Amino acid sequence: MPPRPRPTPAGNGSQFAFSSNNWAPGDFYEATFSTTGFTDINLSWDQARSSTGPAAFKVFMSVDGGLNFADLLSYTVLQSGGGGAPGTWSNTTYNALYTNTLNLGVAAENQGSVIIRFQNAEALASAATGSNRIDNIMVYSGPVPAPGAIALLGLAGLAGRRRR
């Protein structure tokens, strides 16, 4: 028996996106990851909404297991398809207009657990059919140099200066 198609809608240049409707104020998508051994942590994601889906969102971050959240960013989610939308999400064509990026700052560096919330900041509930999609969530950075490597890099810089 062949696999059944997934009910999830098309992503932004990817096969599927995570989609939700019936949004109430404060509802959120959440991602958890480790940054142990990494610095300069960056986050990118694609997000779109229907014409009746929530547009106002915030990004929150916790590094203490969800006890406290820092408010990092307020942003507006663009509409996908329909009047005035910059485009329509397609599983074959990526549209950069729907991509958001954010540097998470030093608080996210070298943490065992980082929780990110993409939270609805609308004051009222969206229409029952109002949807929001999120896709292509990526966390990226550079490795934390080993303490010995920093000393070696410093010595190499001094040796390079002596030769000149």
Side-chain angles (χ1 to χ4, degrees), residues 66-150:
L67 298 175
N68 297 288
F69 281 87
D71 185 343
L72 301 181
L73 175 72
S74 294
Y75 64 100
T76 300
V77 177
L78 298 176
Q79 180 181 330
S80 174
T88 300
W89 274 24
S90 162
N91 61 2
T92 58
T93 306
Y94 166 76
N95 186 335
L97 292 174
Y98 293 100
T99 301
N100 302 281
T101 58
L102 177 64
N103 182 285
L104 298 180
V106 296
E109 295 179 356
N110 204 28
Q111 295 291 327
S113 178
V114 177
I115 301 170
I116 296 293
R117 283 188 178 167
F118 306 92
Q119 187 167 327
N120 177 11
E122 298 280 340
L124 302 173
S126 68
T129 57
S131 66
N132 201 287
R133 296 184 201 179
I134 196 163
D135 192 22
N136 300 324
I137 299 172
M138 293 186 288
V139 178
Y140 54 97
S141 80
V144 174
I150 293 171

